[in-house]
Amino acid sequence: MTHPLLRRLAHLLPPIQRLSQSRDAALRDRDAVLDRMQELIDQQAAEAAALQAARKAEAEREADARMERTLTMVRAEYTVLPRFGFHQPLDYNEVSLPPHFDPPVVRPDQKLPLPAPADRFGYPADDAAYLRMGEMDATIVRDAIARHLGAPRDLALLDFGCSSGRVLRHFEAEHAAHGWRLHGVDIQARPIEWLRLHFPQHYTVTTGTVQPHLPFEDNSLDVIYGFSVFTHIKYLWDMWLLELKRVLKPGGLLVQTIHTENAWEYYHRYRHEDWVRRAHAARMLDQPTMQVDWLHHGDIAVSQAFWKAEVARRNWSRYLEVLELLPPQHALSFQDVMVCRKPAR
């Protein structure tokens, strides 16, 4: 006969088994929850590490960008130096060597070589277009001379902002036929060096500075012309007019292009182009017509000086006799032409 205690234990075994199974299931659930919690912790840690790495990388990129912006500003200051009055040098190395130029373009129909496209400073790479634009601008100067000086011989002519001779080259015939003396000055040293290498000795070319000073004697020049120079002069335009007046002979001509309402409307018309947006003020891009008397924007390498025509005429007449303020003179130009004379007395 089964002992009562054994019978009692036999009755308890199924509950004990169920309790044991429940405990084992609870332990398994606990372990699963702990494993899941660890997975979540590991995932959050990985995400936090990735976010931290991304933030660090973004901070490094931003730091690099700030450094590059700073270096760009420094390079601009110490390459163009508009605030310190120097020219644009060939380099800042301790030892300077002659610059490298691509071979000049030699054409059988041209007495003088053309600079390679890399040395045309933004003017057309196409040879025919480069020559045509230079000749059209030279014609503006010739016509002003014919209207106001007649047909004099032995003129002393200065190209103010001559670059690599885009316009100056077109007065070679006048030099040969009438003895015109041809001078060029530019704040950029590189094109002046190119001219020294490739143009004849009778072209007197000089590297200048952004400060109002020219290496010429008082009353020594008959004509000074410049294309897209006063479009870059932000604040010293009046001092430059006085300096140009100083070296002009009494009765001598000053022919310079400027930006007026015509140029404003031209740039506004092309306001969606990258080359316009990079270089011009938002005010000009937003307003189709010029509402202010003048606007100066940007740095020396940007076409940033705009005048209302009547304001330019009034201001320039303080220093010189304004003979004409002409609208753009050919299809390739959007700049007005100011023609002035140094008073005879």
Side-chain angles (χ1 to χ4, degrees):
M1 182 175 182
T2 306
H3 193 278
L5 180 60
L6 292 178
R7 285 199 301 273
R8 189 176 300 170
L9 288 173
H11 286 297
L12 290 174
L13 279 176
I16 292 173
Q17 288 176 341
R18 288 194 297 272
L19 182 61
S20 176
Q21 291 171 352
S22 177
R23 181 202 65 188
D24 292 342
L27 290 173
R28 287 194 299 272
D29 290 343
R30 182 203 64 183
D31 292 342
V33 169
L34 291 175
D35 289 343
R36 180 56 181 162
M37 289 178 62
Q38 188 61 49
E39 289 178 3
L40 290 174
I41 291 170
D42 292 343
Q43 181 180 351
Q44 289 177 350
E47 291 175 352
L51 181 59
Q52 183 177 9
R55 287 174 175 171
K56 181 180 179 182
E58 179 62 27
E60 290 174 349
R61 284 193 296 271
E62 179 58 28
D64 290 343
R66 285 198 303 271
M67 179 62 71
E68 185 57 34
R69 288 195 294 270
T70 301
L71 289 175
T72 297
M73 292 171 62
V74 171
R75 293 186 194 107
E77 285 291 348
Y78 289 92
T79 299
V80 181
L81 293 172
R83 296 170 180 83
F84 302 101
F86 297 103
H87 61 75
Q88 295 184 22
L90 298 175
D91 58 59
Y92 278 96
N93 297 322
E94 183 177 0
V95 177
S96 298
L97 297 172
H100 169 76
F101 294 107
D102 291 338
V105 177
V106 178
R107 291 170 53 111
D109 61 336
Q110 295 294 313
K111 183 175 180 180
L112 301 174
L114 282 68
D119 293 303
R120 296 180 188 178
F121 296 88
Y123 286 98
D126 178 78
D127 295 344
Y130 178 80
L131 289 168
R132 183 171 66 254
M133 179 178 283
E135 174 59 32
M136 293 169 81
D137 286 343
T139 298
I140 295 173
V141 179
R142 286 195 197 94
D143 290 346
I145 292 172
R147 286 194 303 274
H148 301 292
L149 295 180
R153 301 176 62 86
D154 194 30
L155 287 182
L157 209 71
L158 171 63
D159 187 327
F160 179 57
C162 64
S163 189
S164 45
R166 181 184 68 89
V167 179
L168 189 60
R169 64 181 296 114
H170 292 283
F171 295 106
E172 177 66 19
E174 283 81 0
H175 165 77
H178 305 298
W180 287 18
R181 286 162 287 143
L182 306 177
H183 305 277
V185 64
D186 201 288
I187 66 168
Q188 299 179 93
R190 184 178 176 88
I192 295 297
E193 182 68 8
W194 188 92
L195 288 169
R196 278 195 285 261
L197 288 172
H198 298 293
F199 270 31
Q201 290 290 329
H202 60 264
Y203 285 84
T204 303
V205 293
T206 310
T207 306
T209 79
V210 298
Q211 293 294 334
H213 174 73
L214 291 171
F216 299 99
E217 296 179 358
D218 296 356
N219 307 314
S220 59
L221 300 173
D222 296 285
V223 178
I224 302 174
Y225 69 85
F227 290 90
S228 200
V229 178
F230 276 91
T231 60
H232 298 281
I233 298 177
K234 199 167 184 180
Y235 290 118
L236 297 180
W237 60 268
D238 46 1
M239 293 288 285
W240 267 115
L241 285 179
L242 288 171
E243 177 64 5
L244 296 170
K245 179 181 180 181
R246 178 186 69 80
V247 299
L248 274 175
K249 295 177 181 178
L253 284 185
L254 180 69
V255 182
Q256 299 289 321
T257 63
I258 61 173
H259 282 162
T260 70
E261 295 94 329
N262 291 315
W264 184 292
E265 291 168 9
Y266 172 86
Y267 283 122
H268 182 78
R269 192 181 317 136
Y270 294 99
R271 62 191 178 278
H272 300 301
E273 300 285 344
D274 287 341
W275 62 274
V276 174
R277 301 187 70 84
R278 285 194 303 268
H280 294 90
R283 174 190 291 268
M284 193 206 70
L285 301 179
D286 293 340
Q287 296 181 1
T289 58
M290 190 172 180
Q291 303 297 318
V292 292
D293 284 352
W294 54 266
L295 182 141
H296 296 159
H297 168 75
D299 214 330
I300 194 170
V302 178
S303 298
Q304 83 281 32
F306 291 82
W307 303 75
K308 279 190 175 180
E310 63 181 60
V311 174
R313 178 188 286 273
R314 183 184 69 226
N315 286 349
W316 284 47
S317 66
R318 288 178 174 270
Y319 310 100
L320 294 154
E321 180 187 354
V322 175
L323 300 175
E324 302 172 298
L325 180 51
L326 306 172
Q329 293 295 286
H330 56 73
L332 300 180
S333 178
F334 48 85
Q335 298 179 0
D336 289 27
V337 182
M338 184 78 81
V339 182
C340 303
R341 177 164 53 204
K342 178 176 178 176
R345 298 174 61 182

